[in-house]
Amino acid sequence: MYLFAYGTLKRGGKYHFYLEEAELVEEHVTILGSLYDTGLGYPALKLAGDDVIQGELYDIPDVLWPAINDLEDYTGNAKTDMYDRLTIEVSTERGPKQAIVYTAKAERLLKEYIPEGVWDVERSFAR
């Protein structure tokens, strides 16, 4: 299954090492939504909105999903998870593909709106 990485999992990001065994499929992938700085060194995404959010697409081996879910505070418990794990359509240079994306559930994560739709991986290290 593919992962749409839009924050600290991108190349150069603080947690990119989680994807060492994954294959980068596309460097320039987009979805529509709204991107926010959480103030905690990582971004949060809402699928509401019409901003073009830029990310990378990875083919994730099954063995990596538990660690990625843990990083994203996703357990499948709707009452306690900070993020939802959704399958959405992403736009790639080769056409649309289905990918997993983690979206913010907790409104408190949506601190600073990022209208350009790009998470600067250097922000991850500045905190």
Side-chain angles (χ1 to χ4, degrees):
M1 178 54 96
Y2 294 128
L3 169 71
F4 177 78
Y6 60 90
T8 60
L9 288 170
K10 294 190 314 184
R11 286 172 297 138
K14 178 167 48 177
Y15 296 118
H16 182 70
F17 67 90
Y18 276 76
L19 303 183
E20 286 177 353
E21 296 177 36
E23 176 189 353
L24 175 62
V25 176
E26 295 261 356
E27 291 182 47
H28 305 288
V29 179
T30 60
I31 63 172
L32 295 180
S34 300
L35 191 63
Y36 297 85
D37 187 335
T38 63
L40 301 169
Y42 56 88
L45 171 71
K46 291 292 274 185
L47 293 178
D50 293 325
D51 297 336
V52 176
I53 310 301
Q54 298 179 27
E56 300 168 349
L57 189 67
Y58 289 88
D59 190 358
I60 306 295
D62 289 342
V63 70
L64 296 183
W65 284 113
I68 295 169
N69 285 335
D70 187 51
L71 174 68
E72 300 291 349
D73 289 323
Y74 176 80
T75 65
N77 184 331
K79 291 182 180 181
T80 60
D81 287 347
M82 289 178 42
Y83 285 82
D84 276 328
R85 176 183 154 155
L86 305 171
T87 301
I88 64 167
E89 187 172 279
V90 300
S91 298
T92 76
E93 293 174 355
R94 298 180 196 145
K97 295 198 182 309
Q98 295 290 307
I100 298 289
V101 65
Y102 293 90
T103 63
K105 281 181 53 176
E107 291 295 318
R108 70 181 185 276
L109 293 174
L110 310 178
K111 299 257 184 194
E112 181 185 336
Y113 175 58
I114 304 172
E116 61 273 10
V118 179
W119 174 258
D120 178 359
V121 292
E122 293 300 318
R123 284 185 178 198
S124 302
F125 297 103
R127 309 271 178 210

